Amino acid sequence: MRIDLHAHSAISDGTDQPAELIRAAVRAGLDVVALTDHDTTAGWAEAAVEAGEHEITLIPGAEISTRIGTSSVHLLAYLFDPDEPALAAELERIRTDRVPRLQRMVDGMRALGSRVTWDDVLAAAPAAASLGRPHLADALVAVGEAQSREDAFSRLIGAGSPAYVPKYAPGTVDAIGMVQAAGGAAVIAHPWAHGRRGPLLDQDTLARLVAAGLVGLEVDHLDHDEATRAELRAVVRALGIVGTGSSDYHGLGKQGYDLGVCTTSPQSYEAILAASRHGTDPVT
Ligand code: AMP
Ligand code: ZN
Ligand code: FE
Ligand code: FE
């Protein structure tokens, strides 16, 4: 079984439409793929129709923007009811705030001398239900001010840059509770991506999240080096939760993060299925 539980479509900041993502997952030899667009479930229906045409199981999900203090924490949520009112309202709030936030970043870039416009950002995100910095990065590439998303993030729009504006995000404990209440299972994405994601989650914090209902941690991810993965495997064992592995595929938006480059064991997958009350069923 080849299981990849973290992938983005053009509904957020990937470049494949949801149906294309499913076909790419089939080509990559996956048996199970989760669609986890940032803060939106708008791609689920198209992905489910395509998955129904192939020998692949779709796990509907989302990568929810949350925070602990000022640290950004990405929460993978699987198999929740997309119509459960509290969670749906929270996802809408996050998405809605992304717009003025990104507009402020465009203003900031222009104040620093950039020619990029809001229309350039919208042109870079034709299918997106959830707008983010990668679309601003693409717009900066389009106007010739960056070479790639990676280049834009490292020089112009990263968390430490003058144009950076934070976005609204609920607390991680609250978000885990909302996912559970909507029948889903929650896993922290790339918890210890050293040097890229700011302060790390310590074991005490993780223990609090487990008490709140956290089911697992993403262990095998390209942003984790081998030492980090070994540490995380020990943390997972100590906390009695599951470790997952995933690609964090973004199509052409993240070079090397190919579908299936990291995978989740059948045991961890089964534990996630068992922990969710299937607010939504897997699509087989
Ligand atoms: P936002 O949620 O709008 O703040 O944008 C953050 C998203 O940008 C992350 O979830 C990643 O998908 C993507 N991202 C972060 N760093 C990079 C990078 N260096 N290169 C490409 N994409 C990135
Ligand atoms: Zn992304
Ligand atoms: Fe993430
Ligand atoms: Fe992601």
Side-chain angles (χ1 to χ4, degrees), residues 192 194 219 223-235:
W192 286 359
H194 288 282
V219 172
D223 290 355
H224 294 154
D225 59 25
E226 204 30 70
T228 300
R229 295 182 196 194
E231 268 180 272
L232 281 170
R233 273 189 274 275
V235 170

Side-chain angles (χ1 to χ4, degrees), residues 129-183:
S130 183
L131 281 175
R133 279 182 293 160
H135 302 114
L136 173 54
D138 291 347
L140 290 165
V141 172
V143 299
E145 295 176 10
Q147 301 297 316
S148 64
R149 280 190 183 181
E150 186 64 47
D151 179 43
F153 270 88
S154 65
R155 286 192 302 112
L156 303 169
I157 60 171
S161 71
Y164 179 73
V165 177
K167 61 182 189 288
Y168 169 75
T172 308
V173 167
D174 291 346
I176 290 170
M178 284 184 248
V179 170
Q180 268 199 324

Side-chain angles (χ1 to χ4, degrees), residues 13 38 74 98 101 131-134 149-150 153 167 196-197 250 253-254:
D13 55 3
H38 296 284
H74 288 181
R98 281 174 164 280
R101 175 267 192 150
L131 281 175
R133 279 182 293 160
R149 280 190 183 181
E150 186 64 47
F153 270 88
K167 61 182 189 288
R196 288 188 61 154
R197 311 263 181 185
H250 283 70
K254 252 181 162 178

